[in-house]
Amino acid sequence: MPLSDLAHTMSRPLAHGLTAPGALLGGGLPAYGIYDTAEGKIALGALEPHFTTALLTALRLQPEDCTGERLAEVFAERTAADWQTRADEHDIPLTALRSPGLEASPQSSSHLDQR
């Protein structure tokens, strides 16, 4: 596949407005975003239904509670490392974000708490 074809394919979300502020990939979908934690930030990418279900189950939230505000409250309770560990255990697409210039931790840990 030529690089130009790949670039065209990868630009489609932008071309269709999906990355605009408030659009599905621009902050409009609570299960896809960046959240502050007690220490650091996480990126959550639970776009597929089975990932969203895993997220809600691990957080012990009902679907109607899956709002950006509610997720922000929950994620603020633990560190990014804790959420990473928990996400790994529950197969949730979440990763702890590192600040530029910081060394990677030997093991990322951040999990969804047993509530």
Side-chain angles (χ1 to χ4, degrees):
M1 170 183 282
L3 186 56
S4 61
D5 289 352
L6 180 59
H8 176 75
T9 299
M10 297 303 291
S11 71
R12 300 320 302 153
L14 177 64
H16 290 286
L18 295 175
T19 59
L24 288 179
L25 302 179
L29 188 63
Y32 185 81
I34 296 174
Y35 290 93
D36 290 321
T37 69
E39 183 179 313
K41 293 180 182 286
I42 57 168
L44 175 64
L47 290 173
E48 297 176 40
H50 67 281
F51 288 134
T52 303
T53 298
L55 172 70
L56 294 176
T57 299
L59 294 177
R60 298 188 181 181
L61 293 175
Q62 297 300 312
E64 61 271 12
D65 296 326
C66 188
T67 65
E69 295 79 16
R70 182 66 181 120
L71 291 179
E73 290 172 3
V74 172
F75 289 135
E77 295 173 2
R78 297 194 174 280
T79 68
D82 290 337
W83 288 118
Q84 177 71 62
T85 301
R86 192 94 167 121
D88 292 346
E89 292 172 354
H90 294 277
D91 192 30
I92 296 166
L94 177 153
T95 190
L97 301 177
R98 295 188 314 230
S99 297
L102 294 181
E103 293 297 318
S105 61
Q107 177 182 19
S108 52
S109 314
S110 158
H111 289 10
L112 307 175
D113 181 34
Q114 302 287 355
R115 296 177 163 238

